[in-house]
Amino acid sequence: MADASRHDRTARQLRLLSDALDTGRLGPVRRLINTLSPAEIANLLESLPTPKRSLVWGLVDPEDDGEVLVHVGEDVRESLIAEMDADELVAAVEDLDIDDLADIAEDLPDQVIAEVLRSMDRENRDRLEQVLSFPEGSAGRLMNPDVVTVRADTTVDVVLRYLRLRGELPDHTDYLFVVSRRHQYLGRVSLSSLLTHETSTPINELIDDEQSAIPAGTSEREVANQFSDHDWVSAPVVDESNILLGRITIDDVVDIIREQAEHQALGAAGLGEDEDLFSPVGRAMRRRLVWLFVNLCTAFIAANVVGNFEGTIDKLVALAVLMPMVAGLGGNAGTQVLALTIRGLALGQVGASNVLILLWKELRVALFNGLLMGAVLGLIVYAWFRNPGLSLVIFVALTVNLLLAAMVGVTIPLLLRRMGFDPALGSGIFLTALTDSLGFFTFLGLATLVLME
Amino acid sequence: MADASRHDRTARQLRLLSDALDTGRLGPVRRLINTLSPAEIANLLESLPTPKRSLVWGLVDPEDDGEVLVHVGEDVRESLIAEMDADELVAAVEDLDIDDLADIAEDLPDQVIAEVLRSMDRENRDRLEQVLSFPEGSAGRLMNPDVVTVRADTTVDVVLRYLRLRGELPDHTDYLFVVSRRHQYLGRVSLSSLLTHETSTPINELIDDEQSAIPAGTSEREVANQFSDHDWVSAPVVDESNILLGRITIDDVVDIIREQAEHQALGAAGLGEDEDLFSPVGRAMRRRLVWLFVNLCTAFIAANVVGNFEGTIDKLVALAVLMPMVAGLGGNAGTQVLALTIRGLALGQVGASNVLILLWKELRVALFNGLLMGAVLGLIVYAWFRNPGLSLVIFVALTVNLLLAAMVGVTIPLLLRRMGFDPALGSGIFLTALTDSLGFFTFLGLATLVLME
């Protein structure tokens, strides 16, 4: 047990699985896989290169197929679905919860969806269609319509008898929802209050009406923020007339938070959060090319800046040696500001009311760091090239470039958002484009003014 | 209601608060703040520059002070604590749950801790000391010792009567834990099974013993992975002898997942996830300087590479114009590979068994993209400088640099981890250092070989 704490479980499972696969005997592999939860199997499939992934996918218990499909990233899901025929797919997904089914519906062939809808009873079909009527990324799309409701004008005793008759509750039920005759949401009653109060207690004494319901149009980012701000396990979803439509549970919220995190981490480099570790080379190539071409264009702008100073460089080659330092340090300082601003935007902590104060703080940090680093760099350059003019130029250029980097780091994400783009996506490439061009321009421009006559 | 869905709540609250602060009348500000949950207040405080932050902090209901301190980042917490005297602090934190108190204990003055311990009863003091005996970042440190246990040899009826006597259950109680006479963990019984089964049912028929308990030494990253793999709301924590010590709840796990996400997003730029948006300039400066100095050193290596080719550049200044393009494109392509590898490591999806396959895939992607981008770049350079040798050099150099970038992007995080460092921290700086130096060397080296005679 002490040992379990030191190793990472997924990495260990991956090692065991790889060893088992290497022996070539599939019995042990199958047994190993089927001790795991669907989410763990999903994680392992994502860790496997394509040929092994297909092999292992074939060994997963068909009962788990649907849940595994729900848990893998979109790219991997497509690759797994491509290996199944329509009958297998229908069998895999028809028993999924409505919210899970809605989650992967877009990746399923139309024929499979039609088949699944046909196999459902009227009530479930209506529910699925309602969930699918909400746009992806909204609370309505995330919710599960399977909700246990009670009425306010009853007692704990009546509710307990109803629950015993009803049997099993949906997963993550921590509250029952209290609704009016017209199914409007009135409040909630916790399971724990049902357990800790006398059976004669009227339900309306136990109602907690402080938690307001989530409107179905709310964005999933906002849903995630509300869950973590209020420590919810489940929350009701309502339409414009406050009619209860379903409920969102913490497990889906945890998935959203993980996806957002990956989005921010991969987005700055211009990758999507669904990027498959072992995606086919052709697909990976095409996706990366988009940003590399953007980068090619921005790099040309920087090269053009340098090109305008060819004459200056021709007279003093040391400038060519030093110019990448000014640009590179500006790029790194700017990346720090950028990361901080993007996080602030994602948390809603940066807005019109404080952006100028943030900029002012970052400019001061940049000024002091620029003066300090510039002085160090100037001294080293003096020791290297024995040219005091050159030292002065690099000192001033570095300070100016750090100031520009701070300005760019704060404004790029805000501008991207203002223009309707995702501030996390590709902002790193725009930032280095600007710090390179501005860095070269400041350094070579100053050198031309000061050192050439 | 429809409106609420379109705006970001935190941003809206921030705007309202800023407007209220600008009027200078504190009554409305206080009323606004005290409609919010502690987590929301924490989020707002993090969004405010220091003078406004102090002002608002003074207006928060003292009842909420403790919870707010738990929810803010470490840097902001220090700044808030600095404004409180010892008595206020003791009053704020003494009613916190044990796990929350343990979470912020390190940031409290010793005198405050001593005072809080004195004010506790014997049982709680022992519990707090036990939690604090586990290292930060372990399951033992995360757990709350406040757990409801039952015995196996009883019935639903007896448990219900016990719960009614006991009254309120701890937050996020979805299962009661079944323990032996020696307090060893045996399994769990869900509240929903207590509600849906007849009162005469023996508890041992309802026990779910499939969920194994979490050893207290488990890392918090591992805890978070297990929660999201198994969709848990709470989980038991045990010592080496399987004695039940406490339980971890989903709200703490959500916080861990958010912190990890911020760690990855800010870490690559060399910032900590606790970095305060409005930290004092001096502190922000010092923190960033560390990485900027690392970057200064690596930039000197790159400059030195260029310096070795001064003679070559002197003969063909176009090289100085083009060399940043080769380095920059390599840096961006490498950053993409790096982001993918760091995520794979964080999820445990990259290990000895598949790293070579990953590398092989990335090398092929880099080769094809390098050939394609190199060809485009070569043609443009030909149109610009009319020098076929230069076009050939940049074509080959870009292809080689993208291959090197792929290699470096896969290996840097693995090397950092192997050496015991955090792969997310500063890896971006090491990557660009290598892609710059290698890019300059390949390009200028090839140019010297091909173009100079």
Side-chain angles (χ1 to χ4, degrees), chain A residues 43 222 275 343 349, chain B residues 9 43 222 275 343 349:
Chain A
N43 210 349
E222 178 61 28
E275 181 83 18
R343 178 184 63 163
Q349 293 185 338
Chain B
R9 204 168 32 101
N43 209 350
E222 177 61 27
E275 180 83 15
R343 178 184 65 164
Q349 293 185 337

Side-chain angles (χ1 to χ4, degrees), chain A residues 9 43 46-47 172 222 231 261-262 273 275 277 285 288 295 332 343 349 354 361-362 369, chain B residues 9 43 46-47 172 222 231 261-262 273 275 277 285 288 295 332 343 349 354 361-362 369:
Chain A
R9 202 168 33 100
N43 210 349
E46 291 183 339
S47 319
H172 298 108
E222 178 61 28
D231 291 347
E262 300 193 351
E273 66 273 22
E275 181 83 18
L277 203 53
M285 221 187 105
R288 311 235 182 127
N295 189 209
N332 270 311
R343 178 184 63 163
Q349 293 185 338
N354 58 10
K361 172 207 148 202
E362 289 302 334
N369 279 344
Chain B
R9 204 168 32 101
N43 209 350
E46 291 183 339
S47 319
H172 298 111
E222 177 61 27
D231 291 347
E262 300 194 351
E273 65 274 22
E275 180 83 15
L277 202 53
M285 222 186 104
R288 312 239 182 122
N295 187 210
N332 270 310
R343 178 184 65 164
Q349 293 185 337
N354 59 10
K361 170 206 149 202
E362 289 300 334
N369 278 345

Side-chain angles (χ1 to χ4, degrees), chain A residues 153-174:
Chain A
D153 54 359
T154 177
T155 61
V156 168
D157 187 44
V158 174
V159 172
L160 288 180
R161 272 186 286 139
Y162 163 67
L163 292 178
R164 283 184 199 125
L165 266 173
R166 187 188 190 285
E168 226 176 312
L169 300 178
D171 283 346
H172 298 108
T173 298
D174 58 336

Side-chain angles (χ1 to χ4, degrees), chain A residues 401-446:
Chain A
N401 201 27
L402 288 200
L403 287 170
L404 292 170
M407 213 174 308
V408 168
V410 172
T411 47
I412 281 190
L414 288 164
L415 275 180
L416 283 174
R417 168 171 284 195
R418 179 65 60 90
M419 296 190 302
F421 295 112
D422 177 353
L425 210 61
S427 48
I429 287 173
F430 295 122
L431 178 104
T432 50
L434 279 162
T435 49
D436 276 1
S437 297
L438 294 171
F440 293 146
F441 181 77
T442 328
F443 180 60
L444 298 174
L446 272 173

Side-chain angles (χ1 to χ4, degrees), chain A residues 31-252:
Chain A
R31 273 194 297 280
L32 177 67
I33 296 167
N34 292 317
T35 60
L36 303 176
S37 75
E40 289 173 312
I41 298 174
N43 210 349
L44 277 180
L45 287 172
E46 291 183 339
S47 319
L48 293 173
T50 319
K52 283 190 184 171
R53 188 184 286 166
S54 306
L55 186 62
V56 172
W57 180 227
L59 299 174
V60 172
D61 184 341
E63 286 234 331
D64 287 337
D65 278 359
E67 290 277 345
V68 172
L69 285 177
V70 171
H71 280 94
V72 292
E74 211 170 295
D75 280 7
V76 176
R77 187 182 302 142
E78 275 177 35
S79 78
L80 297 179
I81 285 178
E83 293 182 23
M84 300 171 76
D85 63 33
D87 289 344
E88 282 176 307
L89 267 174
V90 172
V93 303
E94 67 185 352
D95 292 328
L96 286 176
D97 283 347
I98 302 272
D99 55 339
D100 289 338
L101 191 51
D103 190 23
I104 64 167
E106 235 126 82
D107 298 325
L108 295 171
D110 291 344
Q111 168 200 3
V112 170
I113 295 279
E115 185 69 36
V116 170
L117 281 173
R118 243 196 316 278
S119 75
M120 283 180 157
D121 60 30
R122 174 70 185 258
E123 191 190 2
N124 276 324
R125 187 160 54 230
D126 289 349
R127 284 169 158 188
L128 178 59
E129 278 168 355
Q130 183 174 48
V131 171
L132 288 175
S133 73
F134 291 100
E136 251 193 294
S138 70
R141 191 63 171 265
L142 275 177
M143 71 187 179
N144 190 330
D146 191 9
V147 175
V148 184
T149 56
V150 292
R151 299 284 288 282
D153 54 359
T154 177
T155 61
V156 168
D157 187 44
V158 174
V159 172
L160 288 180
R161 272 186 286 139
Y162 163 67
L163 292 178
R164 283 184 199 125
L165 266 173
R166 187 188 190 285
E168 226 176 312
L169 300 178
D171 283 346
H172 298 108
T173 298
D174 58 336
Y175 283 87
L176 307 183
F177 297 140
V178 183
V179 291
S180 71
R181 206 174 300 248
R182 287 186 46 225
H183 215 67
Q184 283 175 308
Y185 176 73
L186 299 177
R188 51 183 203 163
V189 173
S190 70
L191 297 195
S192 88
S193 70
L194 292 174
L195 287 167
T196 54
H197 284 84
E198 291 306 324
T199 51
S200 58
T201 316
I203 288 299
N204 59 34
E205 282 183 16
L206 302 180
I207 295 183
D208 160 17
D209 55 6
E210 283 201 7
Q211 182 192 33
S212 57
I214 298 176
T218 310
S219 74
E220 61 179 24
R221 190 160 70 94
E222 178 61 28
V223 169
N225 287 341
Q226 293 208 28
F227 265 79
S228 71
D229 281 352
H230 298 282
D231 291 347
W232 292 336
V233 167
S234 69
V237 177
V238 294
D239 69 9
E240 299 86 33
S241 327
N242 202 31
I243 305 284
L244 181 68
L245 300 177
R247 100 199 151 103
I248 295 178
T249 49
I250 185 73
D251 51 325
D252 293 325

Side-chain angles (χ1 to χ4, degrees), chain A residues 5 8-11 14 18 37 39-40 43 46-47 49 160 163-164 167 169 172 191-192 195-197 199 215 217-218 221-222 224-226 228-231 233 250-251 254 257-258 261-262 264-266 269 271 273 275-279 281 284-285 288-289 291-292 295-296 299-300 303-304 306-307 310 314 317 320-321 323-325 328-329 332 336 339-340 343 347-350 353-354 357-358 361-362 364-365 368-369 372-373 377 380 384 429 440, chain B residues 1 5 8-11 14 18 37 39-40 43 46-47 49 160 163-164 167 169 172 191-192 195-197 199 217-218 221-222 224-226 228-231 233 250-251 254 257-258 261-262 264-266 269 271 273 275-279 281 284-285 288-289 291-293 295-296 299-300 303-304 306-307 310 314 317 320-321 323-325 328-329 332 336 339-340 343 347-350 353-354 357-358 361-362 364-365 368-369 372-373 377 380 384 429 440:
Chain A
S5 65
D8 188 282
R9 202 168 33 100
T10 308
L14 181 60
S18 299
S37 75
E40 289 173 312
N43 210 349
E46 291 183 339
S47 319
L160 288 180
L163 292 178
R164 283 184 199 125
L169 300 178
H172 298 108
L191 297 195
S192 88
L195 287 167
T196 54
H197 284 84
T199 51
T218 310
R221 190 160 70 94
E222 178 61 28
N225 287 341
Q226 293 208 28
S228 71
D229 281 352
H230 298 282
D231 291 347
V233 167
I250 185 73
D251 51 325
V254 167
I257 293 174
R258 292 205 164 230
E262 300 193 351
Q264 195 179 342
L266 296 181
L271 295 176
E273 66 273 22
E275 181 83 18
D276 173 3
L277 203 53
F278 295 103
S279 64
V281 170
M285 221 187 105
R288 311 235 182 127
L289 264 183
W291 285 108
L292 288 178
N295 189 209
L296 188 68
F300 259 110
N304 220 25
V306 180
E310 263 189 77
D314 209 10
V317 180
V321 177
M323 67 183 199
M325 295 191 80
L329 281 164
N332 270 311
Q336 296 181 328
L340 206 59
R343 178 184 63 163
L347 297 177
Q349 293 185 338
V350 172
S353 68
N354 58 10
I357 304 169
L358 177 64
K361 172 207 148 202
E362 289 302 334
R364 280 179 298 160
V365 173
F368 295 133
N369 279 344
L372 189 61
M373 306 271 299
L377 192 53
I380 302 178
W384 192 354
I429 287 173
F440 293 146
Chain B
M1 236 179 230
S5 64
D8 189 279
R9 204 168 32 101
T10 309
L14 182 59
S18 300
S37 76
E40 289 173 312
N43 209 350
E46 291 183 339
S47 319
L160 289 181
L163 292 178
R164 283 182 200 127
L169 299 178
H172 298 111
L191 297 195
S192 87
L195 287 168
T196 53
H197 284 84
T199 51
T218 310
R221 189 161 70 94
E222 177 61 27
N225 287 342
Q226 293 208 29
S228 70
D229 281 352
H230 297 283
D231 291 347
V233 167
I250 185 75
D251 51 325
V254 167
I257 293 174
R258 291 205 166 232
E262 300 194 351
Q264 195 180 341
L266 295 181
L271 294 177
E273 65 274 22
E275 180 83 15
D276 173 2
L277 202 53
F278 294 103
S279 65
V281 171
M285 222 186 104
R288 312 239 182 122
L289 265 182
W291 285 108
L292 289 179
F293 265 107
N295 187 210
L296 188 67
F300 260 109
N304 221 22
V306 180
E310 265 190 76
D314 210 9
V317 182
V321 176
M323 68 183 197
M325 295 190 80
L329 280 163
N332 270 310
Q336 297 182 328
L340 206 59
R343 178 184 65 164
L347 297 177
Q349 293 185 337
V350 172
S353 67
N354 59 10
I357 304 170
L358 177 63
K361 170 206 149 202
E362 289 300 334
R364 279 179 298 160
V365 173
F368 295 133
N369 278 345
L372 189 60
M373 307 270 299
L377 193 53
I380 301 178
W384 192 353
I429 287 174
F440 293 147

